[in-house]
Amino acid sequence: MKSCAALVLMAIAVLLPVTTPAQQPASKTYVLKAARMFDGKSNTLTNPGLVVVTGGKIVGVGQGAPIPAGAEVIDLGDATLLPGFIDAHTHLTMQYREDYTKAMLEDLQKPIAEKAIDATVNARITLLAGFTTVRDVGSEDYLDVGLRNAIDKGIVPGPRMLVCVHAIGATGGHCDETGFAHGVFGKETGPEEGVINGADQARYAVRLAHKYGATIIKTCATGGVLSLADSVDTPQLTQAELDALVDEAHALRLKTAAHAHGAEGAKRAIRAGIDSIEHGSFLDDEALDLMKQHGTYYVPTLMALQGLSEQIQKGVAIPPPIRVKADMAIASLHGTFQKALAKNIKIGLGTDAAVYPHGRNAEEFHQMVDLGMKPVDALKAGTSSDADLLGLASKIGTLEANKFADVVAVPGDPIENIRQTEHVFFVMKEGVIYKNDRAAK
C-alpha cells in the first residue's frame, strides 16, 4: 500500500503544467516590498515592509537590508508581508463531505491511488491559501507519508508537512474505525494500524509509526465527535499507556499531540508530557492549570465546530449519536477557549481541515479574534507559536535572516482587519513563488 501511494503521487507530475501556477527557481534573488510587514514576533507592524530572499532563504529584512545587484524587485503595494502561515491540525489526505454515510462508503470504495490524487488537490489548495507548513494528524494507507515525500521532491505543490502515519488510540476508541460488523476487514485492528492496549503496545505503535515515516506522534486520549462507538469526553488511554507513548516519542525526538475533548483524558496526557492538546472542548480549570504548569500548547480547532455548525444549519443528515456530541462540543468549546486565553496558556493555530472544506484554514484567525484574542496574538499563533510547537522555530515562523523564505502577503492591514488573512494573494515557500496575483487593494 505504501509503495502504491508513493508511485501514484510521483505520477501526478505529468499534471503539473495545468494544475500549478508558474514557479520561479529558488536560487533566484528577490526583494519583496509592501507597505507594511509583520515579522511573526513583534507586537506591531513595520512600515514599510521589505524582505530579501536568496537561495530559498531570507538574507535580510527591513529598510536597512542590503539589496544584491540583479535582484528581482516585487512591489506588492498596499499590503502586508507575513511569515508563511502554519496549521498545526490538518487532514490533507481526507476529503470534506457532508453526507456521513456516503463518505464512509466512498472510503471503502475508492482505491488508494484515487485517494492519493485527491490529497494532492487538498495540498495545493492549502498552500495557495497561504499555509506553507502543516502538521497532518491522522491518515491511512501511508497517504500522508507519500504526499509529504512528493511535496518535498517538488513533484506536487503543497505545504511542508509533518506527518504521523496514523493516530494511535485504544480499541473501540476515536482512533479505531468503528461502526462495522465484526470480521468485515478480516482481522481486528492492532498496533500496525495504531490501535493499542497496554503500555508495551503503545511503545510498539510509536516505533512502527517512526519506522514508516512519522515525524510526529498523534494520539487519541478521549472520545471524539465524529466517531460512532464512544462518548466524546471519556478517557480512552490509561496513564501508563500515555506515559509510555509520550516517553517513546520524545526518546525518538518526535513531538506529540493528543486529541482530547474531555478533561480527564487531557489531564492524563498533560501529566505524561504531551506537547499539545487538540480540541479541548470540555477542559476544566484543573486541566488548564496543568497545561499552564507544563507549558502545554492548546490547539482549539475552532474551524472544526464552524464546519459542523454550518452542516447543522443546512439541515445535513448527521447520525443521531454524532449530532448529540456535536451539540455538546459546540456549546462548550468557545467558553473553554476564553478560559485558556484568560489563563495565558500557549495557544497554537490548528483547524481540523477536512471537517470543513480545505482552503478555508485562515478563517481560524478571525475565530480566535472574535473570542477575545488580540489580532497580533492570533497572527503569532499561526506563525511563530506554531513554529515553536512543531519544533521548527529555528527554520520558520518569523521573517528573519537565515530562515526559510516562507512569505505571504495580504491586502491592507491584518491587525486592523484580521479577515485580510483570508485574502492571501502572494505565496512564497522556500524562495519559490507559488502565487502572485498582485491583487493588493
Side-chain angles (χ1 to χ4, degrees):
M1 288 185 178
K2 177 183 178 183
S3 59
C4 176
L7 286 172
V8 168
L9 287 164
M10 292 177 68
I12 310 273
V14 299
L15 301 176
L16 291 182
V18 295
T19 59
T20 31
Q23 300 172 17
Q24 306 300 322
S27 58
K28 288 192 65 172
T29 296
Y30 298 97
V31 177
L32 307 178
K33 292 183 176 182
R36 58 194 72 81
M37 177 180 73
F38 173 66
D39 64 10
K41 58 183 180 178
S42 301
N43 290 323
T44 58
L45 301 183
T46 300
N47 296 21
L50 187 146
V51 179
V52 183
V53 174
T54 298
K57 289 194 172 183
I58 297 170
V59 296
V61 175
Q63 279 186 297
I67 298 177
E72 180 179 340
V73 178
I74 300 178
D75 192 338
L76 299 170
D78 182 19
T80 302
L81 299 171
L82 306 97
F85 299 149
I86 304 170
D87 189 332
H89 193 117
T90 66
H91 299 282
L92 295 188
T93 64
M94 299 181 184
Q95 304 306 310
Y96 171 77
R97 285 165 295 194
E98 294 183 347
D99 186 320
Y100 188 93
T101 303
K102 182 180 178 181
M104 295 285 281
L105 181 60
E106 284 185 359
D107 279 341
L108 294 173
Q109 292 177 326
K110 275 190 178 183
I112 295 172
E114 186 176 356
K115 293 179 182 180
I117 294 171
D118 289 343
T120 67
V121 176
N122 299 335
R124 178 179 179 273
I125 290 170
T126 303
L127 176 63
L128 297 185
F131 286 80
T132 54
T133 303
V134 302
R135 188 173 63 165
D136 207 72
V137 289
S139 187
E140 61 183 2
D141 297 319
Y142 303 96
L143 288 166
D144 58 345
V145 175
L147 180 60
R148 185 268 316 274
N149 293 348
I151 291 170
D152 287 352
K153 293 173 183 176
I155 296 169
V156 296
R160 183 180 300 105
M161 292 180 67
L162 279 71
V163 301
C164 69
V165 175
H166 45 231
I168 298 173
T171 295
H174 184 64
C175 290
D176 186 14
E177 192 70 76
T178 55
F180 296 97
H182 173 71
V184 167
F185 300 111
K187 76 176 188 69
E188 194 57 73
T189 48
E192 294 84 356
E193 294 81 27
V195 180
I196 62 153
N197 294 279
D200 287 344
Q201 285 194 350
R203 289 188 185 275
Y204 180 45
V206 169
R207 291 169 181 172
L208 281 173
H210 179 246
K211 175 180 179 180
Y212 291 112
T215 47
I216 58 163
I217 297 297
K218 191 272 188 84
T219 187
C220 291
T222 77
V225 172
L226 296 178
S227 45
L228 284 169
D230 53 2
S231 298
V232 68
D233 58 346
T234 54
Q236 293 189 340
L237 292 173
T238 66
Q239 190 66 61
E241 289 168 334
L242 284 163
D243 288 347
L245 182 148
V246 175
D247 180 69
E248 192 64 33
H250 286 172
L252 295 169
R253 298 176 182 168
L254 301 178
K255 293 277 192 173
T256 56
H259 161 106
H261 282 282
E264 177 56 35
K267 283 181 270 194
R268 293 179 189 179
I270 297 161
R271 294 187 187 107
I274 206 81
D275 294 294
S276 66
I277 294 294
E278 317 290 302
H279 315 305
S281 301
F282 310 105
L283 298 178
D284 58 19
D285 284 333
E286 182 185 7
L288 292 168
D289 290 341
L290 273 174
M291 292 176 72
K292 179 69 175 177
Q293 177 186 339
H294 286 258
T296 312
Y297 268 91
Y298 180 34
V299 181
T301 63
L302 299 167
M303 277 300 294
L305 292 192
Q306 177 65 26
L308 286 170
S309 296
E310 290 173 3
Q311 291 183 26
I312 290 169
Q313 290 168 8
K314 288 192 288 186
V316 171
I318 299 173
I322 291 177
R323 174 61 189 271
V324 169
K325 294 190 289 183
D327 287 341
M328 289 172 58
I330 290 168
S332 181
L333 179 58
H334 287 179
T336 301
F337 176 85
Q338 290 173 322
K339 287 197 293 183
L341 196 60
K343 290 177 181 288
N344 200 30
I345 287 167
K346 294 191 290 187
I347 295 176
L349 183 147
T351 68
D352 217 356
V355 181
Y356 66 89
H358 292 281
R360 292 175 56 186
N361 312 58
E363 292 180 40
E364 188 80 13
F365 287 110
H366 95 78
Q367 294 280 340
M368 294 192 289
V369 171
D370 290 351
L371 292 174
M373 181 177 266
K374 295 178 181 178
V376 72
D377 291 334
L379 292 176
K380 289 178 184 178
T383 54
S384 56
S385 294
D386 267 356
D388 178 59
L389 168 60
L390 272 55
L392 296 175
S394 65
K395 298 179 179 180
I396 61 173
T398 59
L399 299 179
E400 294 182 272
N402 299 317
K403 292 195 175 182
F404 288 139
D406 293 359
V407 188
V408 301
V410 303
D413 182 342
I415 291 181
E416 286 188 0
N417 178 6
I418 194 64
R419 300 205 72 159
Q420 296 288 38
T421 55
E422 298 164 36
H423 303 290
V424 170
F425 68 88
F426 177 89
V427 178
M428 171 183 280
K429 176 190 162 199
E430 288 191 41
V432 177
I433 298 171
Y434 288 88
K435 182 178 186 179
N436 185 6
D437 292 345
R438 298 180 183 272
K441 295 180 181 177

